[in-house]
Amino acid sequence: MQGKTQLHYARQGIITEQMQCVANDEMLDVKYVRDEIAQGHLIIPANINHTNLKPIGIGEACRCKINANIGNSSVSSDMQSELAKLKVAIESGADAVMDLSTGPKIDEIRRSIIENSPVPVGTVPIYEAAEGVENIEDLTVDALFEVIEKHAKQGVDFITVHCGLLAAHVDLALKRTTGIVSRGGALMARWMQMNKAENPLYTHFDRLLEICRTYDMSLSLGDGLRPGSLADASDEAQFAELKTLGELTRRAWDAQVQVMVEGPGHIPFDQIEMNIKKQIELCDGAPFYVLGPLVTDIAAGHDHINSAIGGTMAAFCGASMLCYVTPTEHLALPGVDDVRAGVIAHKIAAHAADIARKRPGARQRDDELSRSRYALDWNRQFELLLDPKGARRIWESARDSSDACSMCGPKFCAMKTSQKIAAK
Amino acid sequence: MQGKTQLHYARQGIITEQMQCVANDEMLDVKYVRDEIAQGHLIIPANINHTNLKPIGIGEACRCKINANIGNSSVSSDMQSELAKLKVAIESGADAVMDLSTGPKIDEIRRSIIENSPVPVGTVPIYEAAEGVENIEDLTVDALFEVIEKHAKQGVDFITVHCGLLAAHVDLALKRTTGIVSRGGALMARWMQMNKAENPLYTHFDRLLEICRTYDMSLSLGDGLRPGSLADASDEAQFAELKTLGELTRRAWDAQVQVMVEGPGHIPFDQIEMNIKKQIELCDGAPFYVLGPLVTDIAAGHDHINSAIGGTMAAFCGASMLCYVTPTEHLALPGVDDVRAGVIAHKIAAHAADIARKRPGARQRDDELSRSRYALDWNRQFELLLDPKGARRIWESARDSSDACSMCGPKFCAMKTSQKIAAK
C-alpha cells in the first residue's frame, strides 16, 4: 500500500475499503464517493499507519464534520488531561481531533493520542519543530522536515502546514489591526524575516508531497494569514495567501496527495458566503476547513457560540469541516468541560447546516425526537439528543411528579393541551 | 397624555421625549425615528404608567433587540428568584423582559418586576386569566379583558395576545408532528373548542385596541401556531395565522396602537430568510419579534446556542427583536445562570447581525477590542467584552506570570511574534 493514496485509487477507478466505509456512513453511492475523491472534492484522511482508524469523508458531498483541538501548552496540562480531552471530544461527537500541543512531551502525547483515537488525528508539525530550537529562525529546513516525516510515520492523518504564506505577503499582514494571529503563520513569517528567505514549506513543497504520498497523510493547507479581527476580514493578505493555496492544491493533486484548505477566522456574518465561494473558486472545490468563523470580536468566554453561528453559515454555504472553538478561546487552554461545550456547539452548527442542505437522512433524528417530545416520552428524547446526560441532568433537577417539565408545569403544558384538543 | 400613543404623536409630526431618547441611543436622526414610527415600522413600547422606563426602539431601523423571559411556574421559583433573574438579565444586556409567570403570586411578581425594571416589560395575560379558573373553557371574555386592563394599568409595556389563531386554523395544527406548542395558543384553541366559539381576542379586538391606546401599551401579536419542530416549519397553519396577524396589524395601526408581530419557533436554517420576508410582506413591515428560531430539534440542554444561530440569521434578514432561549428550554424553568447564558448568547446573535447590517457604530466596540487584544492589554479587553467577569475568570484561572495567556504560552503567542516581526 505504501505510496498509494485514496486519491490514487479513486483515479484508477478502484473502490477501497475506506471509500466503502464512508459511503455507508454517509448514505451515498460508493461510486459517487470515489468520483468525488478523484476530483479532489472529497478526502479521506487515513494514514496507512493509523491502524485503529474508522475513516471519515470530508467534502461537500458528505455531512459537515467537526474537528476538536486538544493538546497542551507550556503553561498548562499533562498527558492524562489530554487523553481525557480526547475521550470527551469523541464521546461528544467530534469527527476528527488535532493535537496542538506546544508544551512538554509533545512526542509522547501525540503517540498516545493516535493510539487511542478511532477518529482522524491532525497535527501542526511546526509546533514541535519550534519547540526544538531557542528561536524559530534557528530552525533548519531538514529539522522541520524530519519532524513532518516523524508525524507521518507515527500515523498522523492530516497536517496543517502554512505553505502558502509567502515572504511577499508578510508586509500586507503587518498593516492590519491584529497582524498575524495564526501561531504557525507567525512562526513562518518570523523565520522568513530573520533568514531573509522564502517559506521553506513553499520552496520544498515537493519534498512535503513526497512524504504525504508515502503515508497517505492528507495536507491541510493552513491559512497563516487568516484575519484575527473583523477589521482584517477579507483583506488583501488573506486572499493573496488563498490564491497561493489554490496553486498548491493543484500541485498536491498532481502528486496524488489528498488536500483540504483551511479558512478563517473572524469574518462578519454578511461576508461568510463570499468567503466560501471565493475559496471554492480559487481552490477548485477542494474541501474547505474553517475555524469558526467568529462573527464578532467581543464574545470571549462564549466564543463557542460565536463560532457556531459563523460555522453554521459557513457549512450552509459549502464548508466541509468546522474546527471547533471552545469557551476559553482567546483566554486560556480548554479543559475537559470546555472541550465538551465546544464539540456540542459545533455539532449543532454542522447538523443545522446538514439539515438546511438536505443531506441524506439529516433530519430523521430531529423528526423522531419531535415525535417523542410531543408524546412526552422523556427517555426516548434523551436518547436522541446531542447531549443526553446534560439534558437529563437539567430535567431531573427541577421536574415535579407529573410528566410535564418545570418550564410550564402540568396545567400550562402546551403539549398536553394540544393532545386534549386532538383527542376530542 | 391618556389615549395618545407614540404612533399618534408621530403621525401628528410631533417628536416626543421617547423618540429623542431612541434616536440618541441608536445614533439616528430623530425625524427618521418619528417617520418610522408613523409608518408602523418602529415601535417604542412605553406604557404611560411605567414611570421608571428608559425607552427603546424596536424596528428594522434600530439595533436588533433581545428579550429575556423570566417568571415562575407552579413547579418552580418565587418572587426573590424572579427579581434576581431580572437583575441578571438587565446586567447581561437584555433590552426587554417578559414576565411569563404561571405559578403563585403572579400579580405581586409582575408589580415588582415593573417597579424594578428600567427596560420595557411584557406579559402574556392569558396566563393569569387561566390561573384564575379550573379549566380554561370556564374563562369568560370579561374576566380575560379585566386581566388585560389590569396589566395595562400596572404599566406593562407590551402584551402577547394570540389574536390571530382562529377556530378555522386549529384543524390545520392538529395534523402536525408537534401540534400547538405555544402555551397561550394551546389555551385559546382549547377555549374555542370547548365553547364552540371564535377566538374572543379576535372577535373583541376593538376592545383590546381601546385598552392599548389608553395606556400606550404595545401589542405583540402572538404566533399561537408557531412550529414546534422542523417538521412543522413553514406549514399551512403557521402562515394562515400570520395572514390574520397582518390584518390585525393594519387594524391596530388604524386605531393608533403600536404593534409588533411574533414569529417562530423551529425553522430549518435555509427557510429563515423566506420566513422573515413573508412576515414583512404580510404584515406591511411591522417589527418582527422572533423566538429563536431553533435550527434543529435535538439540542435541548444547549438550545441557547441553537437559538442564537437561527436568531443571527433572522436578525440579519430583518427581524427586529430576538426572544432569548436558555439552556433549559424544553427541559425546565431557567435559573439565574441560565438567564445569563441565554442573554449573552442572544447578545452575540443580535450584535453579529447589527455588524452584518452595518448599523451605525455597531463595529466600533469590536475594533477597539481587537486593538487592545493585539496590544495584549487585558484590562481594556475585559472592559469591552460582552461578559467581562466571565472572561476574566477564565483568563485568571490559568495564566502564568507573562502577559500571554495559557492557550499558547509566551513562546507560541502569535501576537507577540507578529509584533516582533513588525518591530524589525
Side-chain angles (χ1 to χ4, degrees), chain A residues 72-76 102 126-127 130-135 170 174 176-183 186-187 189-190 193-194 228-231 266 268-270 295-306 308-309 312-313 316 327-334 341 344-345 348-349 351-352 355-358 363 365-367 369-371 373-374 378 381-382 384-387 390-391 394-395 397-400 405-412 414-415 417-418 420-422 424, chain B residues 72-76 102 126-127 130-135 170 174 176-183 186-187 189-190 193-194 228-231 266 268-270 295-306 308-309 312-313 316 327-334 341 344-345 348-349 351-352 355-358 363 365-367 369-371 373-374 378 381-382 384-387 390-391 394-395 397-400 405-415 417-418 420-422 424:
Chain A
N72 71 355
S73 76
S74 63
V75 179
S76 190
T102 56
I126 189 76
Y127 297 164
E131 259 303 282
V133 290
E134 179 71 25
N135 294 301
V170 176
L174 295 180
R176 291 170 149 186
T177 298
T178 46
I180 303 177
V181 299
S182 150
R183 297 190 292 197
L187 293 170
R190 179 68 175 168
Q193 181 187 46
M194 298 303 284
S229 55
L230 298 183
H266 292 236
F269 193 73
D270 59 308
V295 291
T296 167
D297 300 336
I298 62 171
H302 305 265
D303 273 331
H304 59 312
I305 299 174
N306 189 7
I309 291 170
T312 307
M313 187 62 167
F316 177 59
T328 70
E329 181 77 20
H330 296 112
L331 298 168
L333 205 68
I344 291 171
I348 295 171
H351 180 64
I355 290 168
R357 291 178 69 95
K358 301 181 174 57
R363 228 189 61 194
R365 192 166 154 191
D366 295 72
D367 290 347
L369 183 286
S370 291
R371 284 189 292 269
R373 179 168 282 157
Y374 191 58
W378 291 96
Q381 278 188 67
F382 293 132
L384 290 161
L385 286 171
L386 285 173
D387 182 13
I394 294 170
W395 178 66
S397 69
R399 79 197 183 98
D400 69 356
C405 71
S406 72
M407 195 157 187
C408 308
K411 186 169 178 180
F412 285 89
M415 301 287 185
T417 309
S418 196
K420 266 202 246 172
I421 298 169
K424 190 76 184 182
Chain B
N72 71 356
S73 76
S74 63
V75 179
S76 190
T102 56
I126 188 77
Y127 298 165
E131 260 302 282
V133 290
E134 179 71 27
N135 294 301
V170 176
L174 294 179
R176 291 171 150 184
T177 298
T178 45
I180 303 177
V181 298
S182 151
R183 297 190 292 196
L187 293 171
R190 180 67 174 168
Q193 182 187 45
M194 298 303 284
S229 55
L230 298 183
H266 292 236
F269 193 74
D270 59 310
V295 291
T296 168
D297 300 336
I298 63 173
H302 305 264
D303 274 331
H304 59 313
I305 299 174
N306 188 9
I309 292 169
T312 306
M313 187 62 167
F316 177 59
T328 70
E329 182 76 20
H330 296 114
L331 299 167
L333 204 69
I344 291 171
I348 295 171
H351 180 64
I355 291 168
R357 292 177 68 96
K358 302 181 174 58
R363 228 189 61 194
R365 192 165 154 189
D366 295 72
D367 291 346
L369 184 285
S370 291
R371 285 188 291 269
R373 180 169 279 157
Y374 191 59
W378 292 97
Q381 278 187 70
F382 294 131
L384 290 161
L385 287 170
L386 285 173
D387 182 14
I394 293 171
W395 178 67
S397 69
R399 79 196 185 100
D400 70 354
C405 72
S406 70
M407 195 155 188
C408 308
K411 186 169 177 180
F412 284 90
C413 177
M415 301 286 183
T417 309
S418 195
K420 265 202 247 172
I421 298 168
K424 190 78 186 180

Side-chain angles (χ1 to χ4, degrees), chain B residues 34-101:
Chain B
R34 182 196 60 196
D35 294 348
E36 285 286 292
I37 294 172
Q39 285 183 70
H41 297 169
L42 199 169
I43 66 171
I44 303 181
N47 186 310
I48 55 168
N49 288 343
H50 188 182
T51 47
N52 59 332
L53 177 74
K54 188 186 164 307
I56 60 157
I58 302 172
E60 258 203 90
C62 300
R63 286 192 313 279
C64 181
K65 301 301 184 296
I66 67 161
N67 173 76
N69 290 337
I70 58 175
N72 71 356
S73 76
S74 63
V75 179
S76 190
S77 181
D78 56 28
M79 170 104 115
Q80 285 318 307
S81 315
E82 294 316 316
L83 289 177
K85 287 184 203 168
L86 172 69
K87 189 159 172 273
V88 160
I90 293 172
E91 269 175 15
S92 310
D95 300 293
V97 296
M98 289 189 78
D99 172 20
L100 302 192
S101 291

Side-chain angles (χ1 to χ4, degrees), chain A residues 119-142:
Chain A
V119 303
V121 175
T123 59
V124 188
I126 189 76
Y127 297 164
E128 185 179 357
E131 259 303 282
V133 290
E134 179 71 25
N135 294 301
I136 185 64
E137 54 267 31
D138 303 332
L139 180 67
T140 66
V141 175
D142 282 339

Side-chain angles (χ1 to χ4, degrees), chain B residues 130-364:
Chain B
E131 260 302 282
V133 290
E134 179 71 27
N135 294 301
I136 186 67
E137 56 267 31
D138 303 332
L139 180 66
T140 65
V141 176
D142 282 339
L144 173 57
F145 276 93
E146 274 160 28
V147 170
I148 292 172
E149 184 144 22
K150 183 174 68 171
H151 287 215
K153 273 190 192 156
Q154 287 179 358
V156 168
D157 300 292
F158 60 98
I159 51 167
T160 293
V161 267
H162 302 88
C163 310
L165 200 182
L166 303 185
H169 302 155
V170 176
D171 281 347
L172 298 175
L174 294 179
K175 291 189 249 172
R176 291 171 150 184
T177 298
T178 45
I180 303 177
V181 298
S182 151
R183 297 190 292 196
L187 293 171
M188 292 318 297
R190 180 67 174 168
W191 190 96
M192 290 190 274
Q193 182 187 45
M194 298 303 284
N195 289 294
K196 295 189 177 51
E198 187 49 276
N199 184 338
L201 292 167
Y202 181 80
T203 51
H204 296 72
F205 192 61
D206 288 334
R207 184 169 171 184
L208 186 60
L209 292 176
E210 180 67 32
I211 298 171
C212 289
R213 190 173 51 236
T214 305
Y215 299 93
D216 199 2
M217 179 167 73
S218 297
L219 278 180
S220 187
L221 293 174
D223 55 335
L225 298 181
R226 66 172 175 268
S229 55
L230 298 183
D232 296 339
S234 314
D235 74 348
E236 212 184 339
Q238 183 193 332
F239 289 142
E241 183 187 34
L242 184 59
K243 191 158 168 271
T244 312
L245 297 183
E247 290 164 24
L248 297 175
T249 295
R250 289 179 284 274
R251 284 177 60 189
W253 287 342
D254 287 344
Q256 306 185 348
V257 167
Q258 299 193 91
V259 57
M260 60 183 163
V261 176
E262 296 187 12
H266 292 236
I267 300 280
F269 193 74
D270 59 310
Q271 293 178 24
I272 294 174
E273 184 177 6
M274 178 272 282
N275 268 268
I276 307 290
K277 293 210 162 133
K278 205 172 186 82
Q279 185 274 344
I280 292 172
E281 181 202 320
L282 291 177
C283 303
D284 291 332
F288 201 19
Y289 167 32
V290 293
L291 175 61
L294 303 179
V295 291
T296 168
D297 300 336
I298 63 173
H302 305 264
D303 274 331
H304 59 313
I305 299 174
N306 188 9
S307 171
I309 292 169
T312 306
M313 187 62 167
F316 177 59
C317 295
S320 298
M321 182 155 75
L322 307 178
C323 184
Y324 86 169
V325 163
T326 79
T328 70
E329 182 76 20
H330 296 114
L331 299 167
L333 204 69
V336 165
D337 289 341
D338 305 307
V339 168
R340 187 185 294 106
V343 170
I344 291 171
H346 293 77
K347 282 302 275 188
I348 295 171
H351 180 64
D354 287 341
I355 291 168
R357 292 177 68 96
K358 302 181 174 58
R359 289 206 163 87
R363 228 189 61 194
Q364 281 175 12

